[in-house]
Amino acid sequence: MSISSFHDRGPTIQHLDILKGGAAQTCRIPVRTLLPADSPRSEGEDQEHIQVLAAVEAKLPPIIVHRATMRVIDGMHRLAAAKLRNDETIEVRFFEGTEQEAFVLAVKANISHGRPLSLTDRTSAAERIIVSHPAWSDRAIAVAAGISARLVGNLRRRLAVEDDSFDEARSRVGRDGRVRPLDNAEGRLKAAEVIREFPMASLREIGKRAGISPATASDVRKRIERGEDPVPGNNERAERRPARQPARRSVDSANEPDIEAMLQGLRVDPSLRFSEAGRDLLRWILSKALRPGEWGHVSDGLPPHTTYILADVARRCADEWCEIADDLDQRSRRMA
């Protein structure tokens, strides 16, 4: 049975996500036919956890098995519990793919349940994924391994320095399955054409047409508005910052109010204060806005195993804020 479908360029993160089960069929097979996992967990199985599972009377979730090798991908503790109970069979869900893809799925499984991998194990797993899937973007590998995209980038650069034979792909496949070139100058030029032809297009639409991210599309739009070349470094006015970074407003400038001043301006705006809709908006924005330095006050007690989850939450929230800003920019242009 086929669990995943793959493109010629290789699977995306979503293609490997069978952890939620759903329509995928399961069956019972003899315990003796299964081989140990190619596990990213360096310390092995927890014997106490195995004994707890062996004593559970409720039905345990099926384990995931790589059909080609019959190696366990996820569920070594459940398999060990079945052996401890002298069970002859166990319920499995088969995965069809390469051994490299099976390892990625094993990593994903081990960062998603109650016994997350250590940072050392997640980092080691990320290194293996970088080597086996060099075309995957830093963020795609970060999601699979449960670490930050910045750490993945550092690992990739270190591997390239240490190993001359390391295959550094010329393009990257993101979490959405789209291929993006590492040199995005062509995408920026295409985005500039789209912006000039469709000035009211959203950042997401520009990015989709040009094959770049919404953040890069935002940078291109701002450069065009300032009369600059859409590709950094192509003229003397290009700013000396990484091309992947969107342009940012400086809150230190004497001509730019900081976020607290802008929020205060909204608080005292009569059109907002004296209408129900306005008050609802104020309550919403005041609860959502993040003040400078605010994160530092709450991050000290952050458990290490939650960092990658919160990092993903932060990225998704940032995407939503980008969409809101894009929508508001379009409204402003229509009313101008």
Side-chain angles (χ1 to χ4, degrees), residues 41 44-46 49-50 53 75-82 115:
R41 193 180 299 278
E45 285 71 56
D46 185 334
H49 186 54
I50 292 173
L53 291 178
M76 281 299 297
H77 286 94
R78 279 163 280 167
L79 176 61
R115 297 183 66 251

Side-chain angles (χ1 to χ4, degrees), residues 52-124:
V52 170
L53 291 178
V56 172
E57 296 183 2
K59 181 181 178 181
L60 295 174
I63 65 175
I64 301 176
V65 175
H66 185 217
R67 184 189 288 275
T69 62
M70 294 302 287
R71 287 190 176 277
V72 176
I73 295 176
D74 178 46
M76 281 299 297
H77 286 94
R78 279 163 280 167
L79 176 61
K83 291 180 177 179
L84 187 61
R85 293 195 302 253
N86 295 318
D87 294 343
E88 294 185 357
T89 63
I90 189 170
E91 188 175 12
V92 306
R93 179 179 291 118
F94 279 113
F95 171 78
E96 296 184 0
T98 67
E99 291 186 50
Q100 292 82 5
E101 292 157 2
F103 178 76
V104 175
L105 184 58
V107 176
K108 287 200 68 182
N110 278 279
I111 66 172
S112 63
H113 53 51
R115 297 183 66 251
L117 296 173
S118 67
L119 177 59
T120 299
D121 287 344
R122 284 181 275 131
T123 302
S124 297

Side-chain angles (χ1 to χ4, degrees), residues 252-321:
D252 296 326
S253 170
N255 297 322
E256 291 283 355
D258 62 22
I259 188 171
E260 194 58 49
M262 290 186 283
L263 292 174
Q264 180 60 26
L266 292 174
R267 287 191 191 98
V268 299
D269 189 324
S271 63
L272 296 176
R273 291 179 59 196
F274 299 117
S275 71
E276 186 63 33
R279 288 192 293 271
D280 287 343
L281 174 61
L282 282 175
R283 283 191 290 267
W284 184 85
I285 190 65
L286 293 175
S287 67
K288 304 292 185 183
L290 185 65
R291 281 73 167 179
E294 188 174 0
W295 165 247
H297 295 306
V298 297
S299 61
D300 291 342
L302 182 64
H305 69 276
T306 65
T307 53
Y308 69 91
I309 300 175
L310 288 176
D312 196 42
V313 170
R315 282 190 290 267
R316 297 188 186 194
C317 288
D319 288 342
E320 291 300 319
W321 275 109

Side-chain angles (χ1 to χ4, degrees), residues 152-203:
V152 173
N154 291 338
L155 293 173
R156 196 191 296 269
R157 286 187 289 273
R158 193 195 74 194
L159 288 171
V161 170
E162 294 178 351
D163 186 357
D164 293 337
S165 64
F166 175 66
D167 181 15
E168 176 65 77
R170 295 177 61 85
S171 61
R172 300 277 171 82
V173 181
R175 289 182 297 169
D176 57 2
R178 294 172 59 192
V179 178
R180 296 177 175 86
L182 292 180
D183 180 5
N184 62 358
E186 182 178 349
R188 282 175 169 269
L189 294 174
K190 176 63 176 177
E193 295 177 5
V194 175
I195 291 170
R196 294 186 182 105
E197 186 175 357
F198 305 100
M200 303 300 292
S202 69
L203 295 178

